[in-house]
Amino acid sequence: MLDGAVAWMNGRGNTQQWGTTPYSRKPGGVERIQRYTTECAPYMAELDGVPVGTLVLGDGPSPQVPIPTAEEPERYVRLLVSDRRHAGLGIGAALLAHAAEETRRAGVPLLRVDCWAGGGGELVAFYERNGFAPTTRFLAGEWPGQVLARRIG
């Protein structure tokens, strides 16, 4: 799915968000996903038994990103990606709703995510439509990022 997302973004002219190299061929890319599936909580969305999206939920931001942990218990969306062949079906929104429910079930008051803040801000707007509010902007090298938070009650 990640390789497909890179190809889809590149096809739309977006080479800045995830670059042009398929994720599976990036140095450390496969290892990062393996770490996510063993150290965090991965969730898979399926359509007729076929995986169409995934979300990885952790207890804080990735150590590879310059984002401090919250000063309270939190859950953090480390990865959200959907199969672009099924775009527009609400897969990402459904996975975020599941992350909010898992966060609520754990009695944790805060769900956060970070995303690419470049381009026209479409990705930030997606998270806002799903109940998140922008908090902190950051740079990872020259990559512009935005942290967003959602209170869980």
Side-chain angles (χ1 to χ4, degrees):
M1 269 185 255
L2 288 167
D3 287 353
V6 171
W8 178 79
M9 283 185 247
N10 288 184
R12 296 179 64 211
N14 178 348
T15 59
Q16 297 171 323
Q17 184 174 346
W18 284 359
T20 57
T21 303
Y23 201 86
S24 63
R25 294 190 181 152
K26 288 184 180 190
V30 171
E31 292 81 8
R32 184 177 186 186
I33 298 306
Q34 288 172 333
R35 207 171 43 253
Y36 278 179
T37 60
T38 58
E39 296 174 4
C40 300
Y43 300 94
M44 188 71 64
E46 294 181 349
L47 184 63
D48 297 326
V50 176
V52 294
T54 190
L55 178 138
V56 175
L57 197 57
D59 290 332
S62 171
Q64 289 81 25
V65 183
I67 300 166
T69 56
E71 295 183 10
E72 63 184 296
E74 70 174 321
R75 292 294 182 268
Y76 206 96
V77 176
R78 294 266 190 103
L79 175 69
L80 174 64
V81 64
S82 62
D83 185 327
R84 301 316 305 160
R85 294 174 294 183
H86 301 285
L89 297 180
I91 295 163
L95 284 164
L96 288 173
H98 182 74
E101 183 55 34
E102 289 295 320
T103 301
R104 182 177 295 107
R105 243 184 251 145
V108 176
L110 181 63
L111 177 61
R112 292 195 307 160
V113 64
D114 65 80
C115 69
W116 184 61
E122 296 92 351
L123 193 51
V124 172
F126 165 77
Y127 285 109
E128 289 177 315
R129 285 191 306 275
N130 283 280
F132 290 82
T135 58
T136 308
R137 291 187 66 98
F138 66 95
L139 281 175
E142 297 197 18
W143 191 88
Q146 175 70 60
V147 178
L148 298 99
R150 179 176 172 183
R151 287 274 158 207
I152 304 297

